[in-house]
Amino acid sequence: MQQIFNFLIKNKNSILFLFLFAVSIFFTIQNHAFHKSKFISSANFLTGGVYSWSNDMNSYFHLDDYNERLLEENMKLRNQISSMHDSVVGAKQTDSTAFDGDYIYRTAQVINNNFSRIDNFLTLNRGKSSGVFQEQGVITSKGIIGIVDRVNENYSRVISILNSRSRINAQLKKSEHFGSLIWDGDNPNIVQLIDVPRQAQLNLGDTIITGGRSLLFPKGMPIGSILNFELDDTQSYYTINIQLFNDMTNIGYVYVIENLNKDEIQEMQEGEDEQ
Amino acid sequence: MNNSLMVNIARFILLVFLQVLILNNINFAGYINPYLYVLFILLFPFTGNQSLFLFLSFLLGMSIDLFEDSGGINAAACLVVAFIRPHLLRFSFGISYDHQNIRLSATPFGAKFSYVVLMVVIHHFILFSLEMFSLSHIILILKKTLFSSIFTIVLVFLSLSLFSRKYR
């Protein structure tokens, strides 16, 4: 017994080291597993508070930029309204069950943004209390940003599209050929679209939009344009490099999208699986 | 003793905030960031309590991880360099480290340089290996380690010379 105690006391540093090392490796593996990082995230009272405090100061330096973006978006929306004025605005809304539309948009501000690592996250200054919940899409007027991953009362964490675990359904604007949007960890303004079938007609500069298969984003949200493309090893699918419309290094304000029909669609799809 | 405790607590808090609010946003050439917070581990009193030192290094890394959403990679890297620090000290400064309480500012430049470089490079290599978490990215890991280490080492020596106290 004495010897065991002596051994423990003599090696207490090594034992402490091994224990703490195991804890940190455990957290690391948790963080690499999708949707399992329960313990450590920047969406909490302390880090959220610090980030929003620092963001309060930083955002002043980008006000010009944000204003310009808002003007551009307003112009786009005004043009859309004026072109549909005759046909839609005058007509009465008759289907009262679909009156609310399919999506609700909420505004939020990015208070922390990463893009230099291989698994990047953003922190938003909105949480449960403002109606932001897990599995909602995040966009700006120019393109998509990511998917809400963890929320607490006032802050939420977003898995950026610049994350090795992010896979978002996307398609070509001019045809219905679709693939998965991933990121190879290299350039924060270039993402990859893989598994696009060889039959698709590709041209440099073609626009890529979100596909309708994802429940998180409405179909047709802009993503980016084709920078270059090549066939993968199997010679039957394209791998496309996409130049994002968004500048992922300077985001500012975003919209969080809630899909009102998501639960219903999911329920229906799960019912299909059981049969 | 009490003074040294206060200095270390202040240094801990200051370095965490400096790292997460300023240095993590540098992103020089896209991905090169200095990790100056290892300065805490470099400067922790050489004769201090080793168990406390391990625990504080873990806590330092964990605080950074909390802000960076990176799981436990900084904690693991800090812990390893804290654990092997006595060996590196003996390697760089010779046996004198065992017998007397040497101060980093009063050591020859060559010894100081090898100590800082070894600590920083090992820390960064573990950090980036755990971040990528796959051997297929080994080139990227080495590239990031090299450039970020240079950046960190320069900043470490700048802050050492800025904040060194003159004796006699």
Side-chain angles (χ1 to χ4, degrees):
Chain A
M1 205 60 186
Q2 186 71 34
Q3 277 179 337
I4 296 176
F5 278 125
N6 278 341
F7 173 80
L8 285 181
I9 290 169
K10 206 176 136 200
N11 290 305
K12 65 175 194 301
N13 285 336
S14 307
I15 292 165
L16 181 70
F17 166 73
L18 286 177
F19 170 71
L20 292 177
F21 192 69
V23 171
S24 48
I25 294 293
F26 170 75
F27 281 136
T28 305
I29 293 171
Q30 280 268 318
N31 201 43
H32 278 273
F34 200 57
H35 273 199
K36 286 220 175 122
S37 45
K38 295 274 183 285
F39 305 100
I40 305 287
S41 95
S42 64
N44 64 50
F45 167 73
L46 176 74
T47 55
V50 170
Y51 276 141
S52 69
W53 170 75
S54 96
N55 191 61
D56 278 351
M57 293 187 286
N58 276 335
S59 58
Y60 282 104
F61 298 107
H62 299 291
L63 278 181
D64 273 355
D65 202 28
Y66 298 159
N67 272 337
E68 201 162 302
R69 249 184 267 169
L70 270 180
L71 272 177
E72 260 174 44
E73 191 186 4
N74 269 344
M75 180 189 73
K76 215 169 71 186
L77 292 174
R78 276 183 185 281
N79 282 337
Q80 268 177 22
I81 291 178
S82 71
S83 67
M84 66 169 63
H85 195 272
D86 291 339
S87 55
V88 180
V89 177
K92 279 241 167 64
Q93 184 68 261
T94 46
D95 184 359
S96 61
T97 55
F99 191 72
D100 289 335
D102 294 335
Y103 298 94
I104 292 180
Y105 292 77
R106 294 186 174 87
T107 57
Q109 197 177 2
V110 176
I111 55 173
N112 175 42
N113 178 19
N114 288 320
F115 46 86
S116 62
R117 290 179 291 128
I118 197 156
D119 290 321
N120 295 297
F121 297 93
L122 300 100
T123 314
L124 304 184
N125 66 345
R126 293 271 188 276
K128 280 181 205 161
S129 58
S130 327
V132 173
F133 288 96
Q134 254 188 20
E135 296 274 301
Q136 295 181 347
V138 179
I139 61 163
T140 69
S141 55
K142 286 184 179 169
I144 64 173
I145 298 290
I147 295 167
V148 178
D149 161 49
R150 281 174 54 82
V151 282
N152 80 350
E153 214 44 43
N154 294 311
Y155 300 100
S156 53
R157 184 174 86 167
V158 176
I159 295 188
S160 163
I161 50 172
L162 306 182
N163 189 311
S164 63
R165 294 171 334 213
S166 155
R167 284 179 84 88
I168 291 171
N169 178 272
Q171 68 170 58
L172 293 167
K173 192 177 184 181
K174 62 176 185 182
S175 70
E176 290 288 320
H177 294 289
F178 66 91
S180 298
L181 200 68
I182 58 159
W183 187 50
D184 64 0
D186 198 16
N187 185 330
N189 285 315
I190 294 172
V191 295
Q192 284 72 38
L193 184 65
I194 56 166
D195 294 343
V196 177
R198 191 180 181 150
Q199 289 81 0
Q201 294 279 323
L202 301 178
N203 294 315
L204 296 185
D206 278 359
T207 305
I208 304 290
I209 58 175
T210 53
R213 284 157 199 82
S214 151
L215 293 176
L216 310 174
F217 298 100
K219 186 174 174 173
M221 288 284 158
I223 295 175
S225 59
I226 296 181
L227 195 66
N228 56 50
F229 55 86
E230 59 182 14
L231 283 170
D232 67 4
D233 300 337
T234 63
Q235 295 292 312
S236 47
Y237 292 101
Y238 282 116
T239 297
I240 308 173
N241 279 320
I242 298 171
Q243 173 81 45
L244 291 171
F245 291 139
N246 267 325
D247 179 4
M248 290 300 286
T249 62
N250 177 17
I251 298 177
Y253 290 87
V254 294
Y255 300 103
V256 182
I257 309 174
E258 179 182 354
N259 184 347
L260 294 172
N261 301 327
K262 193 176 133 203
D263 289 343
E264 204 175 329
I265 296 174
Q266 260 173 355
E267 210 172 280
M268 189 267 291
Q269 284 174 340
E270 276 160 22
E272 256 173 18
D273 291 342
E274 280 164 18
Q275 282 167 7
Chain B
M1 185 61 211
N2 215 9
N3 188 25
S4 153
L5 184 75
M6 292 307 286
V7 166
N8 275 291
I9 291 174
R11 192 185 286 147
F12 185 104
I13 297 171
L14 199 77
L15 282 174
V16 169
F17 277 83
L18 184 71
Q19 183 67 41
V20 298
L21 292 180
I22 298 173
L23 298 182
N24 275 351
N25 296 319
I26 289 183
N27 296 314
F28 182 65
Y31 57 85
I32 304 169
N33 279 337
Y35 292 86
L36 188 62
Y37 70 92
V38 286
L39 197 61
F40 177 82
I41 300 173
L42 292 172
L43 289 180
F44 194 83
F46 296 156
T47 48
N49 183 340
Q50 189 66 14
S51 308
L52 179 71
F53 175 49
L54 280 178
F55 183 72
L56 284 179
S57 304
F58 174 78
L59 209 64
L60 175 72
M62 217 63 209
S63 333
I64 304 283
D65 281 326
L66 199 65
F67 279 98
E68 279 193 9
D69 278 313
S70 47
I73 59 175
N74 287 290
C78 285
L79 205 57
V80 171
V81 284
F83 187 67
I84 62 171
R85 191 179 79 150
H87 304 287
L88 291 180
L89 280 172
R90 211 161 293 148
F91 173 80
S92 301
F93 299 114
I95 354 165
S96 62
Y97 148 74
D98 280 331
H99 298 295
Q100 63 195 67
N101 185 6
I102 50 168
R103 299 199 64 96
L104 203 55
S105 50
T107 52
F109 183 78
K112 194 159 58 175
F113 187 73
S114 78
Y115 166 63
V116 171
V117 168
L118 280 173
M119 292 281 281
V120 168
V121 169
I122 293 172
H123 172 272
H124 284 25
F125 181 70
I126 296 167
L127 181 71
F128 293 124
S129 308
L130 287 175
E131 184 193 320
M132 305 293 174
F133 220 62
S134 94
L135 275 180
S136 57
H137 288 106
I138 186 76
I139 300 295
L140 192 57
I141 292 174
L142 291 176
K143 209 166 72 175
K144 277 188 144 184
T145 307
L146 176 68
F147 291 127
S148 289
S149 295
I150 294 172
F151 206 162
T152 308
I153 290 165
V154 168
L155 278 191
V156 164
F157 277 105
L158 279 180
S159 22
L160 280 182
S161 54
L162 261 181
F163 296 105
S164 71
R165 274 165 284 174
K166 291 272 181 290
Y167 290 96
R168 271 177 289 167

